[in-house]
Amino acid sequence: MPADLIHLVRHGEVFNPTGVLYGRLPAFHLSPRGQQMAALAARSMAGRPIVRVTASPLTRTRESAQPWLDEFHLALNIDDRLIEPSNQFEGVNIRRALRRNPLLVRRLINPWKPSWGEPFVSVAARMMDAVASAHASVDHGEVVLVSHQLPIWMVAR
């Protein structure tokens, strides 16, 4: 019998003083508040039959997964399909960049078919595949998938 329940968890708040779109950039860690958020999320599920925790390979999701690992005495699994979508604006503060170079708005013409990165249908397909794999990865119990805001929204939609 597969997993009883899949929990999709967004990583905690990220320390990002320059306000850049951090996307897949590797060096973004949780802020102290983000660490508290992750700890509270894990604690809120104490007593549940969590049997597997899987995260995106990025630092902030691994850090957000750690309290779950500690709470439920599990090892971390990594799934590349849970990663943030690719984005041409990584490392850029969009508001400042658009003020300096208004022609960048051309990349933002059709938000339903993003010309700046991975298409939404692609994000949804890989996330649904990751959820199906997580569901089949255990015989019973609940699985936690730690990912990012947009990929989780794509599953919800």
Side-chain angles (χ1 to χ4, degrees):
M1 177 165 211
D4 300 320
L5 197 59
I6 306 291
H7 301 278
L8 293 171
V9 178
R10 184 192 184 269
H11 62 78
E13 179 184 83
V14 173
F15 179 71
N16 184 8
T18 58
V20 300
L21 182 86
Y22 40 80
R24 291 184 176 182
L25 297 175
F28 282 85
H29 295 271
L30 295 181
S31 68
R33 182 177 174 194
Q35 293 168 0
Q36 289 179 325
M37 294 165 86
L40 287 169
R43 260 187 268 141
S44 75
M45 300 294 269
R48 304 236 11 154
I50 305 294
V51 296
R52 184 177 176 94
V53 176
T54 303
S56 141
L58 296 176
T59 302
R60 60 191 179 268
T61 53
R62 290 168 171 253
E63 290 174 350
S64 294
Q66 190 60 53
W68 293 88
L69 305 177
D70 297 341
E71 180 74 33
F72 297 97
H73 310 289
L74 298 169
L76 180 61
N77 298 282
I78 300 295
D79 189 333
D80 291 340
R81 295 171 294 185
L82 299 174
I83 200 165
E84 187 82 87
S86 60
N87 193 306
Q88 293 177 7
F89 291 113
E90 285 175 4
V92 173
N93 180 306
I94 299 271
R95 289 182 186 103
R96 286 187 209 141
L98 285 173
R99 276 187 247 132
R100 288 185 194 130
N101 183 0
L103 294 179
L104 287 175
V105 78
R106 285 187 266 175
R107 291 190 188 160
L108 303 172
I109 290 173
N110 185 354
W112 302 111
K113 187 177 180 186
S115 53
W116 60 85
E118 183 179 5
F120 295 144
V121 293
S122 171
V123 177
R126 70 176 164 79
M127 283 296 292
M128 292 305 292
D129 192 40
V131 168
S133 294
H135 185 252
S137 71
V138 298
D139 293 331
H140 66 291
E142 300 175 9
V143 176
V144 172
L145 300 179
V146 185
S147 187
H148 308 271
Q149 183 172 333
L150 180 61
I152 291 171
W153 271 107
M154 292 297 96
V155 171
R157 302 227 15 134

